[in-house]
Amino acid sequence: YGDGYVGSTVESGGAVYNCLARSKSRNVQTIFGKIEIKRAYYHNEDTGKGKSFIDERLDIQEVHYSPTVRYWENLLGAVAPFEESKELLLKLTGIDVSSKHIELVSEQKGEEIKEEHLEKIKDIQEDEGGKIDKAQIFLDLGSEDVIYLEMDGCCVPTRDEGWKECKTMMLFQQDKNGELIQKSYYSCVWPVETFKKLVRVKLEEYCKDKKVRLVCIGDGARWIWDI
């Protein structure tokens, strides 16, 4: 990417930035250890904020860990407690990060996923009875392409709001040996009104334009069968 120098003055995002240094150093923790990067650094006088175009391209602006290290933190943070994730990351890679940083990175990724899903369902409307339009999929009882949709809920403790029901859906298929394949799942503590919209979106994405036979699995909870 070069040194990131694009002139003594540059406009970016509607703001004007002046170059303060042609070769300002910073450290970044990567999968190869800590490395030093030297790049041009810019500053906006009105906001008092600085920026580096190299940092933006490398996705390391305002963070000290490379995207791959953060990806590994997210992977481990999703399957193990944060303190255990820290120990696993150290044993597997030799990279020593704090459990708090894994928590912060994991929660940030969770927020990104949440916003992505809210954007997908924002145009789905409910009628006066709380119904939404059916999922746009092609159902065929004779199809050999069988899709399983399973839903359930479980009460979990939260930090600030007491006990809430965590709703989970999973879409999957089976191979010839009965093994579950192509698993796609989503969990949230949002109300049923929001969750059912996510179910519709996920079902449409999973089935696409295929003719499918749909098998629904659930216990006796009324909200499941209403969906």
Side-chain angles (χ1 to χ4, degrees):
Y1 295 115
D3 62 5
Y5 181 72
V6 290
S8 58
T9 303
V10 62
E11 184 176 344
S12 175
V16 176
Y17 290 84
N18 299 312
C19 183
L20 290 185
R22 288 289 300 266
S23 185
K24 186 174 181 179
S25 298
R26 64 160 298 185
N27 291 322
V28 181
Q29 178 68 57
T30 74
I31 60 174
F32 305 108
K34 191 170 290 186
I35 64 172
E36 182 184 30
I37 296 177
K38 294 183 178 180
R39 74 278 192 260
Y41 189 76
Y42 288 81
H43 180 264
N44 177 265
E45 293 183 357
D46 295 330
T47 62
K49 294 183 177 180
K51 72 182 305 179
S52 162
F53 297 103
I54 292 296
D55 290 359
E56 289 183 337
R57 291 177 182 178
L58 294 176
D59 190 17
I60 55 173
Q61 65 272 28
E62 300 181 1
V63 295
H64 298 287
Y65 297 88
S66 72
T68 305
V69 173
R70 303 198 309 269
Y71 174 72
W72 286 350
E73 288 183 277
N74 277 321
L75 277 181
L76 293 171
V79 299
F82 300 130
E83 188 62 40
E84 184 178 337
S85 299
K86 163 188 165 63
E87 298 301 325
L88 286 172
L89 186 61
L90 181 61
K91 290 177 180 178
L92 292 171
T93 68
I95 298 174
D96 189 10
V97 301
S98 69
S99 58
K100 186 63 178 179
H101 189 265
I102 295 179
E103 178 182 354
L104 293 173
V105 168
S106 299
E107 290 185 348
Q108 181 182 17
K109 179 57 65 176
E111 285 296 317
E112 292 175 6
I113 293 172
K114 181 184 77 172
E115 293 302 321
E116 177 185 327
H117 282 85
L118 287 175
E119 179 67 23
K120 288 182 178 180
I121 67 173
K122 68 177 184 180
D123 295 327
I124 299 178
Q125 302 296 322
E126 298 181 47
D127 63 20
E128 293 181 357
K131 301 287 186 180
I132 62 174
D133 289 339
K134 294 181 179 180
Q136 301 301 304
I137 60 176
F138 297 98
L139 294 176
D140 181 359
L141 291 178
S143 174
E144 295 183 358
D145 208 349
V146 183
I147 306 295
Y148 295 87
L149 168 62
E150 186 171 16
M151 286 182 282
D152 205 353
C154 176
C155 285
V156 296
T158 65
R159 288 179 178 173
D160 305 316
E161 301 179 62
W163 290 79
K164 300 187 72 172
E165 185 177 43
C166 178
K167 301 167 187 67
T168 299
M169 63 160 289
M170 184 168 76
L171 289 157
F172 62 92
Q173 294 181 276
Q174 287 184 299
D175 64 15
K176 61 182 180 181
N177 298 317
E179 295 289 335
L180 305 192
I181 59 174
Q182 304 296 328
K183 292 184 287 185
S184 174
Y185 69 92
Y186 189 81
S187 294
C188 71
V189 293
W190 289 333
V192 172
E193 290 74 23
T194 304
F195 184 72
K196 64 185 176 186
K197 297 177 182 179
L198 287 169
V199 172
R200 173 185 155 178
V201 168
K202 288 291 186 181
L203 190 58
E204 291 175 343
E205 290 178 345
Y206 194 93
C207 297
K208 295 188 172 70
D209 297 326
K210 299 182 294 185
K211 289 185 177 181
V212 300
R213 182 153 49 103
L214 185 64
V215 178
C216 298
I217 304 172
D219 60 18
R222 179 61 183 266
W223 66 266
I224 293 177
W225 298 109
D226 283 345
I227 291 178

